[in-house]
Amino acid sequence: MSTPAANGQFSLNSQAMNGAVAALNGMALNNPTVGGVADESTNAAATAHSGWDTAGALRAALTEWHEQVSQLTGRLHQNSAAMEQTTLNYHSTNTSIADALKLKEN
């Protein structure tokens, strides 16, 4: 049993919530791979400018880039976990209200 909402529709679209969790998980899992795209060309440019300050700056920029990608990946994982918990909370609340309504009917 589920709680009724306006026009007899359910109050939660489980498929949409699960899709959001899956999308966040996918972004978190793909993020390091996508973030690594610049590695080869940046390292090649740094090697080509060996002996110049530019080489060190390129390597420092790449290091910072990887730190930012890592932080973003962590945030995506946190958001995914929060969305999953929100989905569980909705389901739990929905079931609790439905059970309470069922008891009132009896």
Side-chain angles (χ1 to χ4, degrees), residues 20-34 72-73 76-77:
V21 170
L24 286 168
N25 277 332
M27 285 188 290
L29 294 173
N30 288 335
N31 199 44
T33 303
V34 172
L72 177 59
T73 301
L76 288 168
H77 281 298

Side-chain angles (χ1 to χ4, degrees), residues 24-106:
L24 286 168
N25 277 332
M27 285 188 290
L29 294 173
N30 288 335
N31 199 44
T33 303
V34 172
V37 170
D39 290 0
E40 187 177 330
S41 58
T42 303
N43 283 326
T47 300
H49 291 90
S50 181
W52 292 32
D53 289 343
T54 304
L58 286 167
R59 288 195 175 94
L62 187 59
T63 297
E64 179 63 26
W65 171 255
H66 283 291
E67 289 174 13
Q68 294 296 321
V69 168
S70 178
Q71 288 178 15
L72 177 59
T73 301
R75 279 182 278 175
L76 288 168
H77 281 298
Q78 288 173 343
N79 290 345
S80 176
M83 180 65 76
E84 189 168 20
Q85 186 60 52
T86 298
T87 301
L88 293 172
N89 291 347
Y90 272 116
H91 284 297
S92 176
T93 301
N94 194 40
T95 300
S96 295
I97 292 170
D99 288 346
L101 290 173
K102 189 192 295 185
L103 288 174
K104 276 192 163 190
E105 290 176 358
N106 295 330

